[in-house]
Amino acid sequence: MTAKGFDVCVSGSGAVAMSLALALSAQGWRVAWARPESAVAAPRVDVRTYALNARAVALLERLRVWPALQPHATPVWDMVIRGDDGGQLAFSAWQQQVRELTWIVDAAALERLLGEALRFAAGVQGVPPVSSPADAPAPLLAVCEGKHSATRGALGVSFERQDYGHMGVAARLRASVPHQGVARQWFRSPDVLALLPFHDPELGASYGLVWSVPTARAEALLALDDAAFEAELMSALAQSDPEGAQAVGELSLASARAAWPLALAQAERWSGPGWVLLGDAAHQVHPLAGQGLNLGLADVDTLVAELGHARKTFPWRSPADARTLDRYVRRRMWPTRAMAGLTDGLLHLFADDRGPVRELRNTGMSLVQRLGPVKHWLVGRALDA
Ligand SMILES: Cc1cc2nc3c(=O)[nH]c(=O)nc-3n(C[C@H](O)[C@H](O)[C@H](O)COP(=O)(O)OP(=O)(O)OC[C@H]3O[C@@H](n4cnc5c(N)ncnc54)[C@H](O)[C@@H]3O)c2cc1C
């Protein structure tokens, strides 16, 4: 234990902060978990489902959260992505020789179960919120406060943010036709619409909806009553892909709707004396590839591995040693930039409505569809963000 009482102070109350506190505790570090009391009293209500990749699931397995979460998760066997002019990409777990392409999990259940696991984690103690490394009861302050992190601001780290002018509208849906483990996504220019197969409330016939639309349209969609919203959704599907609309059947709302503003953002620095950033506090990507939390959990995995490696090799070093934090930043910067570039590039490609661009992007999709190794590479990147 350090002179400050703890080894690492984790600030934040989302999935990244809780996974980090658990992973550090499993390695025997003494952890101060700084979060507002409200976060403990009332777990967040969240209608979202998250697509979690193989690396994220492996981390949750090691944290012993996955067995409790699995009943709230649905495996995806196939994925069909449609362009706006006949382009199509299809992935299957069988062809890619993986057990499943991804898991769809209940966002609220994930946070609740991480919180429950933390109640029994050795060496983790709740402390009041902190706002700077000097306030933290540990030599290292791990800032996992999400995209609006005040501590990041107080550290003078700028968060370069490019607003997409879109919102992600999310809800749970019931379907009249079983989903058979197929995730579907439509690039409709300017919308991106995704249906993620789920088992709740209707076993084998529910979806998590993520519909990215310009902000004014998102507000209008939220203001509609349920029947009118369902009609808009069905008409959007029927217009862009009558065959796909038939495959999903009639969709009806099974939850409230909520919407999140979408942006691409990156903190200018990810570490400094006595502090390090993880998750959305460090980077924010568009949810079209379902990778934001996957990137955050990969940050957790990498930081904990680097701290463990440093403790074994240089036991006299502080957890806040700049060389350890630099290694973490070097390992995470490239995959995060690559994912941000990919989602941003796709979005811009599909935002351009000129005829030749539309033709090119749809031809490109169909070309990738025929190139087995390229598809395999894309799936590999998505499974291991
Ligand atoms: C519509 C939509 C769909 C998405 N789908 C997917 C998906 O399918 N797959 C995927 O991987 N990702 C997805 N994401 C991204 C994912 O939601 C985020 O990347 C993830 O929630 C980030 O987790 P986090 O813990 O870093 O931040 P947050 O979830 O924002 O959590 C941070 C928490 O810390 C709290 N906090 C703030 N300041 C302090 C402080 N000073 N002290 C203590 N606590 C503080 C905040 O209130 C917040 O509760 C989606 C996002 C959206 C908007």
Side-chain angles (χ1 to χ4, degrees), residues 11-17 34-36 44 48-52 111 129-130 144-151 168-170 196 210 260-262 278-281 283 285 287 289-296:
S11 176
S13 50
V16 170
R35 78 281 185 247
R44 279 200 282 189
R48 284 176 297 182
T49 49
Y50 286 148
L52 288 191
E111 289 201 0
V130 297
C144 316
E145 298 172 359
K147 57 191 175 195
H148 300 299
S149 169
T151 305
V169 177
L196 307 173
V210 185
W260 285 258
L262 305 180
L278 297 94
D280 275 20
H283 44 72
V285 296
Q291 289 294 339
L293 182 58
N294 288 311
L295 290 170

Side-chain angles (χ1 to χ4, degrees), residues 196-256:
L196 307 173
F198 203 56
H199 63 271
D200 189 38
E202 203 71 45
L203 189 65
S206 306
Y207 287 101
L209 166 75
V210 185
W211 192 359
S212 154
V213 288
T215 301
R217 173 134 164 85
E219 282 160 2
L221 285 172
L222 291 181
L224 294 174
D225 65 29
D226 286 4
F229 179 83
E230 289 161 1
E232 279 290 317
L233 178 61
M234 291 312 300
S235 116
L237 283 180
Q239 264 169 25
S240 35
D241 179 14
E243 217 178 282
Q246 220 171 10
V248 300
E250 281 299 313
L251 297 173
S252 54
L253 278 165
S255 76

Side-chain angles (χ1 to χ4, degrees), residues 12-338:
S13 50
V16 170
M18 291 192 277
S19 304
L20 179 63
L22 272 179
L24 290 168
S25 138
Q27 272 205 356
W29 298 101
R30 292 193 55 88
V31 181
W33 179 28
R35 78 281 185 247
E37 261 319 299
S38 58
V40 188
R44 279 200 282 189
V45 177
D46 200 327
V47 296
R48 284 176 297 182
T49 49
Y50 286 148
L52 288 191
N53 66 16
R55 183 174 182 182
V57 171
L59 174 70
L60 295 171
E61 265 168 356
R62 288 202 302 284
L63 300 181
R64 299 175 198 272
V65 171
W66 184 249
L69 185 61
Q70 202 167 353
H72 306 278
T74 301
V76 174
W77 314 121
D78 293 282
M79 205 175 275
V80 182
I81 304 173
R82 301 292 295 248
D84 54 350
D85 196 11
Q88 174 164 328
L89 253 176
F91 298 93
S92 94
W94 180 73
Q95 268 176 359
Q96 300 301 322
Q97 299 179 353
V98 290
R99 252 185 337 188
E100 58 278 313
L101 288 172
T102 186
W103 284 90
I104 307 302
V105 306
D106 183 307
L110 171 66
E111 289 201 0
R112 179 171 49 77
L113 292 168
L114 284 167
E116 279 175 25
L118 268 173
R119 294 209 337 253
F120 304 103
V124 180
Q125 196 176 308
V127 298
V130 297
S131 53
S132 75
D135 283 355
L140 178 61
L141 174 62
V143 180
C144 316
E145 298 172 359
K147 57 191 175 195
H148 300 299
S149 169
T151 305
R152 182 190 59 219
L155 285 164
V157 177
S158 70
F159 196 53
E160 283 148 33
R161 198 183 137 96
Q162 179 197 320
D163 219 316
Y164 284 121
H166 278 209
M167 292 184 95
V169 177
R172 299 291 169 84
L173 303 168
R174 270 195 191 84
S176 63
V177 176
H179 56 58
Q180 300 184 332
V182 183
R184 297 174 185 275
Q185 191 168 35
W186 293 267
F187 283 84
R188 304 183 61 244
S189 178
D191 306 10
V192 184
L193 203 162
L195 291 179
L196 307 173
F198 203 56
H199 63 271
D200 189 38
E202 203 71 45
L203 189 65
S206 306
Y207 287 101
L209 166 75
V210 185
W211 192 359
S212 154
V213 288
T215 301
R217 173 134 164 85
E219 282 160 2
L221 285 172
L222 291 181
L224 294 174
D225 65 29
D226 286 4
F229 179 83
E230 289 161 1
E232 279 290 317
L233 178 61
M234 291 312 300
S235 116
L237 283 180
Q239 264 169 25
S240 35
D241 179 14
E243 217 178 282
Q246 220 171 10
V248 300
E250 281 299 313
L251 297 173
S252 54
L253 278 165
S255 76
R257 287 155 269 161
W260 285 258
L262 305 180
L264 175 73
Q266 182 82 251
E268 141 234 7
R269 278 175 296 136
W270 288 22
S271 72
W275 61 269
V276 64
L277 303 181
L278 297 94
D280 275 20
H283 44 72
Q284 196 191 345
V285 296
H286 192 286
L288 75 87
Q291 289 294 339
L293 182 58
N294 288 311
L295 290 170
L297 294 179
D299 294 349
V300 168
D301 207 15
T302 307
L303 180 64
V304 172
E306 288 301 339
L307 287 170
H309 169 77
R311 185 171 57 179
K312 212 153 59 182
T313 327
F314 314 102
W316 56 89
R317 278 190 190 169
S318 155
D321 190 281
R323 287 159 291 190
T324 309
L325 302 183
D326 284 350
R327 279 173 62 104
Y328 155 75
V329 174
R330 276 201 302 275
R331 283 181 60 190
R332 290 308 301 148
M333 195 66 102
W334 187 85
T336 306
R337 289 230 160 115

